[in-house]
Amino acid sequence: MVSEVPQEMISEVEKLRAEIRHHNDLYYNKDAPEITDAEYDALMRRLQQLESEYPSLVTPDSPTQTVGAPARVGEEEETFAPVTHSVPMLSLENVADSSEMKAWYERTLKGLEAESAAFIVEPKLDGLAVELVYEAGRFAQGSTRGDGTTGENVTANLRMLKEIPGRLKGAPELLEVRGEVYMKKADFQALNRRREEDGQATFANPRNAAAGSLRQLDSKVTARRKLSIFLYDRGSVRRVAHGGEVEFLGFIAKLGLPVVEHHRCANLEEVEKAYQDYLDRREDLPFEIDGVVVKIDDFALREKLGIRSRSPRWAVAYKFPARQARTALAEIEWSVGRTGAVTPVAILEPVQLGGVTVRRASLHNEDEIKRLGVMYGDTVIVERAGDVIPDVVRVLTDARTGGEREIVFPKKCPVCGSEVVRPEGEVVARCTNMACPAQVQGRIQYFASRGCMDIEGFGEKNVGLFVEKGFVKDPADIYLLDKKREELEKLEGFGKKSVDNLLKAIDESKTRPLWRILNALGIRHVGEHVAHVLAENFGSIDSLMAASKEELEAIHEVGPKVAESVRD
Ligand code: IVH
């Protein structure tokens, strides 16, 4: 019996398909995505859900049934000859959390009619899938995945990758290997820096940079970009057999091919542990990953499970929580630090990101604002990497309405109104008024902080109060606070006991070693290390103050810049 499909479902499915195809084209062909991966996954999931509710709506060309995007043929200048893959190159289903992972795991064992099986966990590299064909040990052809059946012939460009050997010794008659071409984080940053200097558009992320670099009609361009590759799969292989992927990867590694790191896991707990381990190390890895891939190792078991139209049943992508979100930049807060540095902080429409609500993102400095080309009111992509405060990584210029306004870096300090100066060759602009309340507050807070004099009760709130009341204008005033006991006790939230504690903490800080005081003063170019050096060489603050610039410079590790700064 065919169930009746409501018209609104038909329309929604059609709309979703059109939308997903549009984003597939932007992502796979133009290397210029307009939405985040998480937003894309949400569209795809909704389509999958509707199609499973109304199976009569499924068509063979639905994005849920197809891989990637059709390669551009003859449409624009950058076209490559088509290559038909002897074995289709598939995509992967996603799972987003541990309960979905558990469901996949149980479904897979059920499909195998087994209690357990050997799994492998690999990093899910964020690049583009390619196939390399070796005939009698010679690298004969390389292609992109394309729509899974037909890809683009990028042999000449792949030859430019140092990691891809032109010849393999002892290789079988036919060897088709598959993997991911990617760009290391460091190479990506260097490439973007160069492009910026040359006034060219920068790449949004390493994946786009890798895809854009490989799909170049001029191989010389590819050669200048540093691309890397990891192999993780096979196509046709003739006259040699392997039991599973671990064995196969071991075999091709011996031939000199670069294989992806892979971990054997005997059960779900081990899979979870491997996933967590990659999540913990994500920022330290030299390449971007957006999750792990979990696979059945044994090829015979893979056969038994089989494939769907676009993805195998024997593997799944276990994605990491999203790090990117789209939001709007409402305002800029110009924060003034203890050295007078004026730092732009983006105030955002609150957005959920990796389990927390994000309201602010750093914009670093004037150059960064220029590099991003960001304006008030812009729709932006924010990303939380290792740091707690996210960065603005991209502006979605297509989302502009015309009402956006230019961001002008202030010429006057937003706190005290004094002149802001950015010396030539420096990226940081500073408020020039040493007495600026923001600078005073910053200096006192820094002086009393953990790594410096470590005075309890001198957090942001209290220091703000002491500065506002005029009790403390410089660090020396801290040590005169015992004369202001009565006034302190009258402050809101303070009583006899808390003032006692505060004065006790101040007293205790008098025993800190000299290097800590030197560090705490926040002299430019004098950090912890130089503070140690100065303390060892002069022994007391009086002899340091008496030292001439020449005497200072005579010390190994003290250059003219440091010496001048200390004298000042
Ligand atoms: S295995 C039959 N292993 O992720 C599918 N894929 O979202 C074989 N990918 O098309 C793929 N790292 O481009 C596999 N270690 C890894 C991978 C990996 C990245 C990519 C690959 C695939 C896509 C699916």
Side-chain angles (χ1 to χ4, degrees):
M1 202 182 76
V2 181
S3 64
E4 195 81 17
V5 183
Q7 181 57 42
E8 67 210 71
M9 294 303 156
I10 301 178
S11 314
E12 188 181 349
V13 163
E14 277 168 2
K15 196 169 150 260
L16 280 167
R17 285 181 186 155
E19 230 177 305
I20 292 169
R21 286 195 187 108
H22 168 70
H23 291 301
N24 278 347
D25 184 52
L26 289 172
Y27 185 89
Y28 292 109
N29 289 330
K30 309 231 161 67
D31 304 320
E34 274 172 9
I35 58 175
T36 66
D37 288 357
E39 288 170 328
Y40 178 85
D41 288 346
L43 292 175
M44 201 63 160
R45 272 168 181 253
R46 176 68 184 151
L47 181 58
Q48 274 162 347
Q49 185 200 349
L50 290 173
E51 288 182 352
S52 72
E53 266 171 52
Y54 306 100
S56 65
L57 288 183
V58 180
T59 56
D61 68 343
S62 169
T64 60
Q65 311 298 307
T66 57
V67 172
R72 288 170 295 163
V73 182
E75 178 189 306
E76 279 156 60
E77 66 278 15
E78 276 168 59
T79 51
F80 298 91
V83 168
T84 304
H85 304 299
S86 61
V87 180
M89 289 181 78
L90 299 174
S91 181
L92 292 172
E93 282 296 292
N94 289 339
V95 292
D97 57 38
S98 61
S99 70
E100 289 184 8
M101 182 62 221
K102 185 162 180 272
W104 181 85
Y105 182 85
E106 282 164 1
R107 201 163 59 238
T108 305
L109 287 184
K110 198 163 160 231
L112 291 173
E113 298 165 308
E115 296 283 297
S116 67
F119 290 84
I120 21 180
V121 171
E122 297 169 358
K124 184 173 187 302
L125 303 150
D126 212 2
L128 76 158
V130 296
E131 176 171 77
L132 314 177
V133 181
Y134 282 90
E135 287 168 1
R138 295 172 84 102
F139 176 45
Q141 188 180 71
S143 55
T144 61
R145 186 179 64 175
D147 65 4
T149 309
T150 310
E152 299 160 312
N153 188 330
V154 287
T155 313
N157 294 349
L158 284 168
R159 282 191 201 286
M160 299 299 155
L161 271 70
K162 285 199 194 71
E163 292 164 353
I164 299 180
R167 273 165 178 279
L168 302 175
K169 254 214 203 117
E173 180 183 311
L174 175 70
L175 176 67
E176 293 181 357
V177 288
R178 289 158 177 196
E180 202 86 352
V181 166
Y182 67 95
M183 190 177 280
K184 292 197 178 107
K185 291 175 188 167
D187 293 329
F188 165 71
Q189 276 151 10
L191 171 64
N192 262 0
R193 230 176 290 129
R194 275 206 314 274
R195 288 179 72 86
E196 213 182 295
E197 280 164 18
D198 297 348
Q200 289 172 292
T202 52
F203 288 105
N205 53 49
R207 197 211 85 89
N208 291 336
S213 303
L214 187 64
R215 300 161 82 245
Q216 286 285 337
L217 275 193
D218 182 357
S219 305
K220 286 203 264 343
V221 177
T222 310
R224 282 198 297 271
R225 312 271 175 88
K226 282 202 181 125
L227 292 175
S228 308
I229 185 169
F230 275 134
L231 301 170
Y232 49 65
D233 199 14
R234 54 173 196 162
S236 293
V237 180
R238 217 174 290 145
R239 309 268 184 268
V240 49
H242 300 99
E245 184 173 317
V246 174
E247 193 186 325
F248 176 72
L249 293 183
F251 172 73
I252 63 169
K254 268 217 186 102
L255 292 175
L257 289 166
V259 305
V260 73
E261 45 187 78
H262 46 288
H263 306 270
R264 285 173 208 257
C265 295
N267 52 44
L268 185 60
E269 288 69 53
E270 289 183 20
V271 168
E272 282 293 343
K273 201 181 157 291
Y275 169 86
Q276 192 56 48
D277 188 47
Y278 273 113
L279 187 55
D280 292 344
R281 291 192 296 132
R282 185 182 196 180
E283 304 308 329
D284 304 326
L285 292 174
F287 43 79
E288 288 281 355
I289 64 174
D290 56 352
V292 297
V293 180
V294 184
K295 308 179 197 177
I296 289 283
D297 182 32
D298 192 290
F299 289 154
L301 296 183
R302 289 185 181 184
E303 282 290 313
K304 183 166 177 185
L305 287 165
I307 60 170
R308 304 177 202 88
S309 52
R310 70 190 293 267
S311 59
R313 289 201 178 79
W314 44 262
V316 75
Y318 189 0
K319 300 269 283 243
F320 289 155
R323 305 198 295 184
Q324 289 194 342
R326 163 214 289 256
T327 185
L329 184 144
E331 267 308 318
I332 301 273
E333 186 185 289
W334 304 98
S335 104
V336 182
R338 67 181 167 92
T339 63
V342 180
T343 310
V345 178
I347 307 299
L348 310 165
E349 293 292 333
V351 62
Q352 285 296 314
L353 184 52
V356 302
T357 307
V358 167
R359 294 191 166 80
R360 299 153 68 85
S362 48
L363 277 167
H364 304 284
N365 52 51
E366 191 175 5
D367 289 355
E368 182 69 358
I369 291 176
K370 286 217 181 94
R371 187 182 75 81
L372 291 164
V374 65
M375 299 171 84
Y376 290 112
D378 259 338
T379 304
V380 294
I381 300 287
V382 289
E383 178 174 305
R384 249 178 88 199
D387 308 322
V388 184
I389 298 182
D391 284 316
V392 174
V393 293
R394 192 146 49 93
V395 175
L396 299 181
T397 42
D398 285 356
R400 282 191 176 150
T401 59
E404 295 76 15
R405 287 171 300 122
E406 195 192 339
I407 296 172
V408 183
F409 207 91
K411 294 195 169 59
K412 298 265 185 263
C413 173
V415 177
C416 71
S418 305
E419 212 191 340
V420 168
V421 172
R422 179 178 167 187
E424 232 188 88
E426 286 187 26
V427 287
V428 180
R430 291 174 206 276
C431 159
T432 45
N433 173 19
M434 284 279 283
C436 168
Q439 288 197 45
V440 172
Q441 156 116 24
R443 279 199 299 271
I444 309 278
Q445 235 174 279
Y446 177 74
F447 183 86
S449 68
R450 272 272 177 81
C452 297
M453 299 301 273
D454 195 9
I455 313 177
E456 205 160 320
F458 269 71
E460 187 176 340
K461 198 163 145 256
N462 283 355
V463 173
L465 210 56
F466 303 154
V467 172
E468 188 196 310
K469 296 279 171 200
F471 295 169
V472 208
K473 289 192 197 64
D474 63 44
D477 292 338
I478 296 174
Y479 297 94
L480 298 171
L481 275 177
D482 55 346
K483 309 238 156 41
K484 296 206 158 55
R485 184 177 257 284
E486 273 173 33
E487 287 151 279
L488 282 170
E489 280 177 18
K490 280 189 210 123
L491 286 178
E492 210 189 299
F494 281 76
K496 188 172 177 322
K497 183 110 199 286
S498 49
V499 174
D500 274 349
N501 287 341
L502 193 72
L503 295 178
K504 202 168 139 240
I506 294 172
D507 226 36
E508 270 169 17
S509 76
K510 291 179 184 166
T511 62
R512 307 274 182 261
L514 179 60
W515 73 266
R516 273 185 178 255
I517 305 172
L518 296 180
N519 185 31
L521 289 174
I523 303 165
R524 267 191 94 184
H525 309 301
V526 179
E528 232 180 87
H529 177 68
V530 176
H532 269 289
V533 171
L534 293 174
E536 266 162 38
N537 279 277
F538 292 95
S540 76
I541 200 136
D542 293 320
S543 59
L544 176 62
M545 279 168 71
S548 68
K549 193 164 177 277
E550 290 69 34
E551 282 170 295
L552 281 160
E553 273 185 57
I555 299 168
H556 184 63
E557 289 186 276
V558 175
K561 239 166 128 184
V562 176
E564 201 176 304
S565 183
V566 172
R567 279 301 310 162
D568 281 352

